[in-house]
């Protein structure tokens, strides 16, 4: 790896992508944003091209790709479609791939990047949720560094630095509890999209913000943590911690607990995934404990936030079940965002899909893609 | 080092010593309590001899040593006095010395143990407070592991495992606040010995319990942390955290903070100092965050707890000043325990001693001992 790391950002116009560019911009000698990608937001992508001068970009949408090609006039290579994503992540000069596409779409380019021995900074949790077994065995096979960018998993990863992972007895994932922590379950049917998008602690994309409101986000993180750190579901605890200062914790065999804390800023886990095993300076406010005054902790209410229990169920079912959970959730969340179903129907739809699915164990990537497609189709007929 | 580690416990009849024996008793294949020592508590020492069958013991008090010799009748070697302490810590077969004498008395045997390349598990904070520069250069010179046993410093040490120490920007020492956290300063003159000995969180010896009530204990820990981890006083913050669940924290250049947490049990840092770099199982309750519900944080009140500021002053004066701080504090605390001075006079006495002392920089061990003696004499005339 050269002293300057060449980086691909899959999804540079999303929330993680924009934060990644800010981090990269802070270390021009060490990082180069070599390839940027977007689904269809070519206006923002063009601004990013002007500022960061990447070697190339990928636009998933073919029409938008053509449009951008005309605008940039040969000054930057413009690729398109899924093939474009796989092309750039596998190029020789690339060192690191920041995988921050939303949802299932992140899987294939991430697999390709691992097979070409790139360091993976993984913000796309669905990749591990749907194909954790596959991804972790590929990571081992190709000897690749897989660095989590989710603040919770980055916290756990940081707590494990220098520790023997076989000595871990429990992972404790903290959850802000989202905007509906104190809303009675009886009011869930009437909650609006606007209310659900109003997250108290983190500014994120729409999909993950809704997932935070249902606690499915935490459920997906439990599955992700299982694959990243090798603990079974019953050793991964979710604790509501509304201040979101403790990003997550690890308990060891001697009863010692290590926690990583910080202000809510995605730039920290992104930078750590890029600088690891080093830590590089980062400006910004610091946690001020006397000013914070208090941190609180609660059990999550699983009757109210049914998605959390469904995620634990899918993890213990194993095989294709988490892919079904994820696909059903993606469709249900999109339907909610499109105001086609009410907020309380999201877990109902997912539970239906999980119940009716015949789990296949040890699925290969084709079987996972099939389970994903079938679930989307099935859930579509439900709605 | 053999697979079974042979251990000397300096001060086995004290609080840390008894906890150390419990830890050692849990791993009979890995640890042997080879030498035990006491000041004069030969009854307890004899029980410990019966249970742990050490090769030898040291009784500091010569008369008591004679008495014990008659009782044990040659079944165990009985040494005496300071010479006895230095003798056992330097013996060939010894691997680890747990230094848990109270106060200044810990210095000389600890120095001897370092010079004989023993691992040091350091519970005697006064050793680093009075002679930090000397001790840390000896530790480097002899390539010795110096493992802190104080829960706060063990916490910081654990947070630094696998991290680059040059990337630390701040140490955050937590303090329970002691029994007088919410007692108005105006009532300090009337506080009794019994009230001061009633610590809310930790069961410890008398000296350290009074130091916790004045916050001098935290002040001594600031100085100790300076020597253990190399940060100046203005980068060592004390935060009141009455629940004592977070044992201390480290802030890094990227704003990330790592914390070590646990229930208040001295056996954890003792075991870690013995098992490091491994972690070994330990039974007992675990931190239950939802049951804990809340952790709180406050600035210490430096006007009320004047000892804390005096310790920072001594650290920035450097040289012999911390030795003066420590000696004045030991005499003042003993006078308070003997009901000769009131609680609020403890900082007054120490401040007087510090103000009148002419600090010598880079003192050798003789100059430190001299500063200690002169201060004890001077403070004696004050009282």
């Amino acid at each position: 790896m050269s002293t300057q790391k060449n980086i691909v950002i899959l999804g540079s116009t999303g929330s993680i992508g924009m934060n990644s560019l800010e981090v990269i911009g802070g270390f021009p000698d060490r990082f180069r944003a070599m390839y940027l990608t977007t689904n269809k937001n070519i206006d923002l992508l063009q601004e990013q091209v002007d500022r960061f001068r990447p070697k190339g970009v990928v636009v998933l949408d073919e029409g938008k790709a053509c449009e951008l090609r005309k605008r940039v006039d040969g000054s930057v290579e413009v690729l398109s479609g899924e093939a474009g994503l796989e092309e750039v992540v596998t190029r020789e000069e690339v060192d690191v791939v920041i995988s921050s596409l939303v949802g299932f779409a992140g899987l294939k380019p991430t697999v390709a990047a691992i097979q070409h021995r790139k360091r993976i900074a993984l913000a796309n949790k669905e990749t591990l949720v749907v194909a954790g077994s596959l991804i972790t065995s590929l990571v081992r096979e190709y000897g690749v560094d897989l660095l989590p960018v989710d603040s919770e998993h980055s916290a756990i990863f940081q707590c494990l630095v220098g520790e023997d992972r076989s000595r871990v007895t429990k992972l404790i994932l903290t959850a802000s509890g989202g905007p509906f922590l104190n809303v009675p379950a009886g009011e869930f049917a009437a909650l609006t999209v606007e209310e659900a998008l109003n997250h108290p602690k983190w500014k994120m994309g729409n999909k993950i913000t809704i997932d935070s409101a249902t606690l499915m986000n935490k459920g997906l993180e439990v599955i992700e943590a299982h694959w990243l750190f090798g603990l079974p579901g019953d050793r991964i605890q979710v604790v509501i911690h509304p201040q979101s200062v403790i990003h997550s914790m690890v308990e060891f065999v001697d009863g010692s607990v290590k926690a990583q804390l910080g202000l809510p800023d995605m730039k920290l886990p992104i930078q750590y995934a890029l600088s690891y095993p080093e830590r590089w300076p980062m400006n910004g406010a610091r946690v001020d404990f006397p000013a914070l005054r208090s941190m609180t902790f609660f059990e999550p209410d699983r009757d109210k936030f049914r998605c959390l229990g469904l995620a634990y169920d899918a993890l213990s079912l194993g095989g294709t079940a988490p892919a079904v959970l994820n696909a059903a959730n993606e469709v249900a969340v999109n339907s909610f965002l499109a105001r086609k179903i009410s907020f309380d129907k999201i877990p109902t739809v997912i539970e239906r899909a999980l119940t009716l699915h015949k789990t296949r164990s040890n699925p290969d990537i084709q079987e996972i893609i099939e389970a994903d497609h079938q679930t989307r189709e099935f859930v579509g007929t439900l709605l």
Side-chain angles (χ1 to χ4, degrees), chain A:
Chain A
M1 209 176 275
S2 58
T3 48
Q4 194 188 45
K5 290 179 186 170
N6 294 324
I7 299 174
V8 178
I9 305 178
L10 296 176
S12 66
T13 58
S15 166
I16 297 287
M18 289 189 285
N19 275 299
S20 298
L21 282 171
E22 278 194 56
V23 169
I24 290 170
F27 297 94
D29 297 341
R30 308 208 192 199
F31 299 135
R32 179 167 175 211
M34 185 153 280
Y35 297 103
L36 304 178
T37 89
T38 190
N39 193 358
K40 50 175 100 172
N41 189 351
I42 56 171
D43 291 342
L44 179 52
L45 187 65
Q46 198 178 353
E47 284 176 32
Q48 293 178 341
V49 166
D50 290 344
R51 181 164 160 219
F52 291 94
R53 300 264 149 225
K55 198 167 154 191
V57 299
V58 183
V59 183
L60 216 61
D61 183 284
E62 300 286 351
K64 293 283 183 186
C66 282
E67 205 181 310
L68 184 68
R69 261 183 216 109
K70 284 176 208 151
R71 290 202 213 162
V72 297
D73 197 23
S75 65
V76 62
E77 184 184 11
V78 180
L79 296 92
S80 64
E82 284 193 20
L85 295 181
E86 291 200 34
E87 161 83 28
V88 297
V89 298
T90 60
R91 285 192 177 172
E92 183 63 29
E93 70 269 27
V94 168
D95 300 304
V96 183
V97 174
I98 299 177
S99 175
S100 55
L101 297 178
V102 177
F104 191 82
L107 178 58
K108 282 209 258 177
T110 305
V111 167
I114 294 170
Q115 288 170 330
H116 286 76
R117 297 197 155 79
K118 310 305 184 189
R119 169 179 284 201
I120 310 293
L122 188 68
N124 172 269
K125 67 189 67 169
E126 290 84 354
T127 295
L128 278 178
V129 169
V130 303
S133 168
L134 192 79
I135 294 286
T136 49
S137 55
L138 283 174
V139 162
R140 270 193 302 273
E141 184 183 342
Y142 289 92
V144 159
D145 280 334
L146 178 73
L147 280 291
V149 167
D150 250 349
S151 69
E152 291 80 358
H153 302 87
S154 176
I156 291 169
F157 189 91
Q158 290 179 54
C159 289
L160 290 174
V161 163
E163 298 282 353
D164 177 348
R165 290 192 180 195
S166 74
R167 294 308 179 149
V168 174
T169 45
K170 191 161 75 170
L171 306 178
I172 302 164
L173 289 172
T174 54
S176 72
F180 305 140
L181 180 59
N182 299 312
V183 173
E187 295 176 20
F188 270 30
L191 293 170
T192 66
V193 170
E194 290 69 25
E195 288 169 320
L197 287 178
N198 186 25
H199 193 274
K201 285 287 164 187
W202 295 92
K203 292 269 155 271
M204 303 173 292
N206 284 353
K207 161 72 166 53
I208 189 172
T209 304
I210 302 301
D211 285 347
S212 296
T214 63
L215 288 204
M216 178 56 93
N217 184 52
K218 210 48 56 176
L220 298 177
E221 285 176 10
V222 168
I223 301 175
E224 190 185 3
H226 164 74
W227 290 112
L228 282 170
F229 307 113
L231 271 85
D234 62 1
R235 291 184 170 276
I236 305 174
Q237 181 185 12
V238 170
V239 172
I240 304 293
H241 166 47
Q243 297 78 24
S244 296
V245 172
I246 296 183
H247 291 161
S248 277
M249 301 187 261
V250 175
E251 182 197 271
F252 296 92
V253 287
D254 55 3
S256 186
V257 173
K258 276 165 96 167
Q260 186 269 338
L261 306 87
L263 297 175
D265 183 346
M266 284 310 300
K267 289 196 289 296
L268 174 57
I270 293 167
Q271 180 172 310
Y272 188 75
L274 298 177
S275 72
Y276 172 83
E278 296 175 18
R279 285 189 187 273
W280 294 351
M282 188 160 141
N283 294 328
R286 297 295 189 248
V287 184
D288 177 341
F289 289 91
L292 174 67
R293 251 193 120 82
S294 165
M295 294 199 259
T296 55
F297 307 94
F298 311 95
E299 290 281 4
D301 182 342
R302 293 208 187 191
D303 294 330
K304 197 164 101 174
F305 295 107
R306 288 154 54 210
C307 286
L308 183 59
L310 292 172
Y312 275 100
D313 292 346
L315 176 57
S316 69
L317 283 166
T320 45
V324 170
L325 175 92
N326 177 66
N329 182 57
E330 282 192 29
V331 178
V333 168
N334 283 333
S335 298
F336 172 70
L337 284 169
R339 295 162 215 267
K340 289 184 194 152
I341 64 170
S342 61
F343 185 76
D344 63 319
K345 286 290 173 298
I346 296 173
T348 309
V349 166
I350 299 165
E351 186 168 26
R352 195 79 197 281
L354 266 182
T355 308
L356 293 179
H357 174 73
K358 278 217 168 71
T359 300
R360 302 179 74 146
S361 4
N362 303 314
D364 62 23
I365 192 163
Q366 277 316 314
E367 291 172 309
I368 290 166
I369 292 173
E370 223 166 79
D372 176 83
H373 288 349
Q374 285 172 352
T375 303
R376 285 169 201 270
E377 207 174 306
F378 167 73
V379 173
T381 64
L382 272 186
L383 300 175

